[in-house]
């Protein structure tokens, strides 16, 4: 447990063809102590559709934060829950990239 609080969560680089319930994006999370985290986020329906489109049966790699919808209020709530334990934010932190790019690269390697 830490004393750090989430100051701001920005939903960036959103990709969606049918709204926030079927989307992916990057969450930039800023804490009171100055640390910043970049989290890959997606809705289960977007992820399932992308996996099918790419013909992937499995994925392992960067952690993905699954949200019911890619909306700012839901993203903030999830970030605040993760911020309760620094190790979770560290686990989900990803070098600046997007999930579509990560999955394309994964397909090329496998």
């Amino acid at each position: 447990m830490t004393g750090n609080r989430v100051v701001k969560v920005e939903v960036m680089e959103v990709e969606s063809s049918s709204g926030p319930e079927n989307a992916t994006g990057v969450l930039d999370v800023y804490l009171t102590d100055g640390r910043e985290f970049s989290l890959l986020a997606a809705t289960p329906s977007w992820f399932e559709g992308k996996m099918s489109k790419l013909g992937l049966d499995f994925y392992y790699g960067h952690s993905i934060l699954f949200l019911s919808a890619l909306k700012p209020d839901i993203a903030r709530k999830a970030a605040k829950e993760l911020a309760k334990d620094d190790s979770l934010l560290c686990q989900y932190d990803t070098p600046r990239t997007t999930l579509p790019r990560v999955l394309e690269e994964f397909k090329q390697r496998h």
Side-chain angles (χ1 to χ4, degrees):
M1 203 71 143
T2 69
N4 291 309
R5 289 189 1 244
V6 173
V7 175
K8 181 170 64 168
V9 177
E10 294 179 337
V11 180
M12 312 290 288
E13 301 188 49
V14 175
E15 176 184 295
S16 176
S17 59
S18 59
E21 288 78 20
N22 188 17
T24 185
V26 176
L27 306 184
D28 287 339
V29 180
Y30 303 89
L31 300 184
T32 53
D33 66 3
R35 288 182 292 162
E36 301 174 11
F37 297 89
S38 179
L39 315 178
L40 298 177
T43 61
S45 60
W46 182 92
F47 185 76
E48 185 178 281
K50 187 68 168 183
M51 291 287 288
S52 178
K53 183 178 177 180
L54 292 173
L56 292 171
D57 294 325
F58 59 90
Y59 165 77
Y60 55 87
H62 298 292
S63 295
I64 302 166
L65 181 61
F66 287 102
L67 304 173
S68 59
L70 202 62
K71 295 180 177 179
D73 58 330
I74 294 173
R76 268 192 304 281
K77 183 177 179 181
K80 286 180 180 181
E81 284 297 314
L82 289 173
K84 291 179 180 179
D85 181 350
D86 283 5
S87 66
L88 289 175
L89 278 174
C90 292
Q91 176 183 336
Y92 280 89
D93 191 35
T94 304
R96 176 52 85 178
T97 189
T98 63
L99 189 51
R101 192 174 306 135
V102 166
L103 292 176
E104 291 285 347
E105 291 170 0
F106 181 84
K107 180 178 178 170
Q108 290 173 1
R109 288 191 314 269
H110 301 89

